[in-house]
Amino acid sequence: MPPKFKFTRDEITNAALNVTRKNGISGLTARALAAELGCSVKPIFGLFKNMEEVGQEVFIASDLLYQNYLREDMAKGKYSPYKASGMAYIRFAKEERELFKLLFMRDRSREKIEENKEEIRPLMQLIQQNLGISEDEAYLFHLEMWLYVHGIATMIATSYLDWNDEFISRVLTDAYMGLKYRYTEGKDNAGN
């Protein structure tokens, strides 16, 4: 009689996360997951309806992991909290390339994308406190800074760049200081 494999949903999700880390989300197949678990596909489909449901759990687990990166880096105190959020985003891209691609570089043309200011409100409040600017200005400041951070993270995740943390920190400071000038002292010259 063949051995019975008993897994929990969490164990299968963790194995699916590992497969995604190695092969990307497109490499997350029932066979690849079964191979990672060392079993047939039967235990997978005993707990999940289909591979799409497994993929949804991998997405949720990836986002939780990313949120942990943010919390950890912001709590360390190595950088100011706002800068730490950008450094964490880039570190996630460097250390979890395929999970970063899944969360932040996937084709979203079929997704309904809604602006969620509440999600970034804590970061906007940091900007408002640091710079003494309005909520609307803090939102625009964050969008511009995030474009810069996302560009660096994307180039790292795709192996286009391989910058060390010291250099990344320096260029983020440069971008921040430029935006700070524009939103505070440079208001009179904003049209130029």
Side-chain angles (χ1 to χ4, degrees):
M1 179 187 263
K4 284 192 174 188
F5 292 98
K6 293 194 179 204
F7 297 101
T8 65
R9 281 180 66 92
D10 285 345
E11 289 170 330
I12 292 174
T13 299
N14 286 333
L17 200 61
N18 287 335
V19 170
T20 304
R21 280 180 168 122
K22 293 179 214 169
N23 307 321
I25 196 65
S26 62
L28 179 59
T29 63
R31 283 187 181 165
L33 181 52
E36 180 75 16
L37 290 164
C39 66
S40 71
V41 298
K42 190 173 180 180
I44 299 164
F45 296 119
L47 293 170
F48 292 90
K49 286 184 273 185
N50 52 38
M51 286 305 293
E52 184 177 320
E53 186 180 7
V54 174
Q56 290 168 349
E57 290 300 314
V58 167
F59 185 88
I60 292 167
S62 298
D63 187 54
L64 288 172
L65 184 61
Y66 166 64
Q67 296 302 323
N68 285 337
Y69 269 67
L70 282 178
R71 273 190 297 280
E72 287 173 11
D73 282 19
M74 290 175 81
K76 282 180 189 173
K78 183 175 181 180
Y79 306 106
S80 69
Y82 186 68
K83 185 176 191 175
S85 71
M87 293 297 289
Y89 187 82
I90 293 167
R91 185 169 69 89
F92 185 72
K94 187 182 283 191
E95 295 175 5
E96 296 287 357
R97 292 173 193 263
E98 293 302 327
L99 302 183
F100 178 84
K101 291 175 190 176
L102 170 65
L103 293 178
F104 303 111
M105 294 178 65
R106 69 186 182 281
D107 179 359
R108 299 185 73 171
S109 59
R110 291 189 179 104
E111 295 178 28
K112 183 178 179 184
I113 301 171
E114 295 181 16
E115 185 176 35
N116 184 359
K117 280 190 179 178
E118 290 309 309
E119 194 173 278
I120 61 168
R121 185 157 311 281
L123 296 173
M124 290 168 43
Q125 289 170 339
L126 287 171
I127 296 165
Q128 284 179 267
Q129 290 167 2
N130 292 340
L131 304 180
I133 60 178
S134 72
E135 182 178 308
D136 288 341
E137 288 173 316
Y139 176 70
L140 291 173
F141 184 104
H142 177 68
L143 283 181
E144 289 185 62
M145 195 67 209
W146 183 79
L147 289 170
Y148 194 73
V149 169
H150 180 69
I152 293 169
T154 299
M155 289 187 281
I156 287 173
T158 58
S159 299
Y160 185 81
L161 296 177
D162 186 22
W163 290 348
N164 64 38
D165 289 348
E166 185 178 314
F167 186 74
I168 292 167
S169 175
R170 191 174 101 200
V171 298
L172 290 186
T173 295
D174 291 346
Y176 181 90
M177 294 306 287
L179 286 172
K180 177 182 175 185
Y181 177 80
R182 180 172 176 272
Y183 279 88
T184 57
E185 294 126 38
K187 283 185 177 184
D188 295 336
N189 300 323
N192 295 331

